[in-house]
Amino acid sequence: MDPRPIGVFDSGLGGLTALRELRRLLPGEELIYFGDTGRVPYGGRSREIILRYARQDVAFLRSFDPKAIIIACGTVSANALTELSAENDLPIFGVVGPAAQAAAATTRNGKVGLIGTAASIRSGAYEREIAQLAPRLEVFSRPCPLFVPLVENGRFRPGDQVVELVAEEYLQPLRSAGVDTLVLGCTHYPLLRDVVGQVMGPQVTLIDTGAVCAVHAARALEAQGLLARRETGQRRYFVSDSTQDFARLAGIFLGEDVEGSVERIEIEKY
Ligand code: DGL
């Protein structure tokens, strides 16, 4: 048993897709979330900058003495997991491995679509992981750089013409390729699930990277005897820009009022 908190971070709102699943699976855990809203998006940046930001995000979370850290960000997982794991003496979970496993287990026709930020797709990390698990699968990948800014601005609902137009342009080639499984390789994208689902059609299974990573981490912590075993755990949220916008959108997405639990921090100090 370990009562210490679990740290979760992302460049912004997207990591809440992992936090929501963690809250469902492990209601007794104390969760500390950091969204780097002052520096989002990460996905258009170089690997060096992503690594620098990610090190600061981890340093901030480590100030709470967490028992584990979840990188609820495809971009950081794809570009910095190896370094962050080597530099920190606690379990660090990324989203790429669990998402690749889910894709390999789901596809029936062997054609997997992958969407993510420019930095995630450029890294080739998802393709490498999928190729190791199932070398025969064909992966069709597409960067979708406008999705994260749209989500951060609250533009993710079906019926929003701008979002639907962007989604159609990004996803049409994957639909034409005949993929039966689509990895939402960025944790922001499950917020666009309805819009993406509309374009891809009901025959395509969408893999929510945040959620599958949460399942993987929960199992691993349980297997290592690291769960807290309490009824309800506190959840605290930290951001590096205005708390109001984050609290509003997070509240809608999580289905609970988080207004009083969001604090702003100076991430450059870490
Ligand atoms: N949620 C992040 C990801 O999974 C978004 C990256 C960004 O800030 O561009 O990749």
Side-chain angles (χ1 to χ4, degrees):
M1 196 186 85
D2 189 334
R4 292 178 299 161
I6 300 172
V8 182
F9 76 94
D10 178 42
S11 56
L13 281 167
L16 294 175
T17 54
L19 181 127
R20 187 166 72 167
E21 187 67 4
L22 277 176
R23 180 187 68 176
R24 190 180 73 78
L25 295 168
L26 306 174
E29 293 300 319
E30 187 184 339
L31 303 175
I32 310 280
Y33 185 86
F34 175 60
D36 196 2
T37 51
R39 303 189 296 195
V40 69
Y42 283 11
R45 302 186 192 275
S46 67
R47 195 170 168 278
E48 291 68 35
I49 296 284
I50 293 166
L51 186 55
R52 180 161 80 76
Y53 286 179
R55 283 183 171 131
Q56 289 179 314
D57 302 342
V58 168
F60 167 66
L61 288 175
R62 289 208 67 167
S63 66
F64 294 89
D65 186 25
K67 59 187 166 196
I69 289 181
I70 298 185
I71 307 174
C73 174
T75 305
V76 174
S77 302
N79 286 279
L81 175 65
T82 313
E83 286 86 346
L84 296 177
S85 300
E87 291 163 5
N88 290 279
D89 54 354
L90 79 174
I92 301 212
F93 300 99
V95 301
V96 175
Q101 276 170 20
T106 303
T107 182
R108 293 286 160 254
N109 72 1
K111 292 184 181 185
V112 173
L114 164 68
I115 53 174
T117 65
S120 292
I121 301 300
R122 194 175 56 224
S123 76
Y126 283 98
E127 283 95 334
R128 274 196 302 280
E129 200 78 34
I130 293 174
Q132 258 179 21
L133 290 166
R136 281 165 198 261
L137 295 189
E138 260 186 290
V139 180
F140 300 84
S141 59
R142 273 294 264 171
C144 303
L146 291 175
F147 276 171
V148 170
L150 283 168
V151 169
E152 286 290 325
N153 283 285
R155 305 284 298 266
F156 45 79
R157 293 183 188 84
D160 183 322
Q161 290 181 356
V162 175
V163 176
E164 289 183 346
L165 193 70
V166 172
E168 177 63 30
E169 183 182 313
Y170 284 152
L171 301 173
Q172 188 276 328
L174 300 176
R175 193 178 57 216
S176 301
V179 303
D180 71 350
T181 303
L182 178 64
V183 177
L184 306 178
C186 166
T187 54
H188 278 71
Y189 298 176
L191 280 93
L192 291 158
R193 172 179 274 276
D194 293 342
V195 175
V196 171
Q198 262 173 27
V199 178
M200 295 308 291
Q203 72 289 354
V204 176
T205 305
L206 307 180
I207 307 286
D208 176 335
T209 39
V212 294
C213 174
V215 171
H216 172 79
R219 283 196 193 131
L221 293 174
E222 168 130 55
Q224 292 167 41
L226 288 177
L227 295 183
R229 311 268 174 233
R230 63 167 100 72
E231 284 290 303
T232 350
Q234 196 195 4
R235 290 178 287 272
R236 298 176 66 186
Y237 304 87
F238 296 87
V239 288
S240 49
D241 202 340
S242 148
T243 56
Q244 279 151 1
D245 293 344
F246 179 88
R248 188 174 54 81
L249 291 171
I252 296 170
F253 179 67
L254 294 171
E256 68 177 39
D257 184 7
V258 299
E259 194 84 45
S261 1
V262 187
E263 290 167 57
R264 181 174 179 164
I265 59 133
E266 291 292 333
I267 191 64
E268 293 289 359
K269 287 190 186 152
Y270 290 86

